Amino acid sequence: MSIDAEALRASWSSVLAHGDEVPLFFYSHLALSRPDIRELFPVVMAGQRDKFVVALGRIVSSADRTDELVPYLQRLGATHVQFGTTSEHYAPVGQSLIATLAYFLGELWTNELAQQWQAAYELVASVMQDAAAEVEQISGELPTAEESSSARSEQS
């Protein structure tokens, strides 16, 4: 299935008309469905909600420009590792995103649009998870601070 970038942009634009209710609904849905994930976020969520809207807007606006989108997603995936994000977190985030879109789009939410968003999210999550795995592999190969200190003292 090829992703209809214009359908994503048009629907996201409609969702954005609801303002701060959108990220508030998304994060509430995520916290209620997976309370264990809530601890990954700051206590005060205003900045996080803004980051969510900005990141998703950038992803949607670049949906048909993979030369711009892929490096951005790779950086995003790599960055999320330091916040404790694991591969198991991506599915509930996707479910909360789809629930949020369906809620705010109402009658505009069709099976076809749902499939478009699901396919787009799976692609985004895949690129981000691949980048995160690379970071984890590299950091697993690097010595810890304790190992480095021990090796330096043995060489002295």
Side-chain angles (χ1 to χ4, degrees):
M1 163 190 240
S2 78
I3 295 172
D4 182 349
E6 193 50 47
L8 297 180
R9 282 192 282 269
S11 57
W12 180 240
S13 179
S14 295
V15 169
L16 278 181
H18 297 276
D20 198 43
E21 291 177 48
V22 176
L24 184 60
F25 184 96
F26 168 80
Y27 283 111
S28 297
H29 186 279
L30 184 60
L32 289 171
S33 63
R34 285 291 301 272
D36 59 309
I37 294 178
R38 176 61 180 100
E39 67 190 34
L40 299 177
F41 298 102
V43 174
V44 178
M45 290 289 291
Q48 184 64 37
R49 289 193 303 263
D50 290 344
K51 288 177 185 177
F52 168 78
V53 170
V54 168
L56 194 50
R58 182 167 178 185
I59 291 166
V60 170
S61 69
S62 305
D64 52 358
R65 294 188 308 276
T66 56
D67 58 320
E68 293 175 27
L69 183 58
V70 170
Y72 175 70
L73 293 174
Q74 289 170 329
R75 286 189 304 276
L76 206 55
T79 302
H80 276 72
V81 170
Q82 65 187 309
F83 300 120
T85 303
T86 66
S87 60
E88 74 176 26
H89 295 133
Y90 284 86
V93 166
Q95 292 162 358
S96 291
L97 174 61
I98 297 299
T100 301
L101 295 166
Y103 178 80
F104 287 104
L105 287 169
E107 292 179 6
L108 298 174
W109 187 249
T110 63
N111 285 336
E112 184 179 329
L113 190 56
Q115 290 172 356
Q116 290 290 322
W117 273 100
Q118 186 64 45
Y121 180 76
E122 288 171 7
L123 253 136
V124 165
S126 175
V127 172
M128 288 178 66
Q129 287 174 303
D130 288 349
E134 282 186 39
V135 167
E136 289 169 345
Q137 181 180 357
I138 291 168
S139 64
E141 293 171 0
L142 297 175
T144 64
E146 187 177 287
E147 291 169 338
S148 295
S149 175
S150 174
R152 278 193 299 273
S153 63
E154 288 174 12
Q155 292 174 351
S156 306

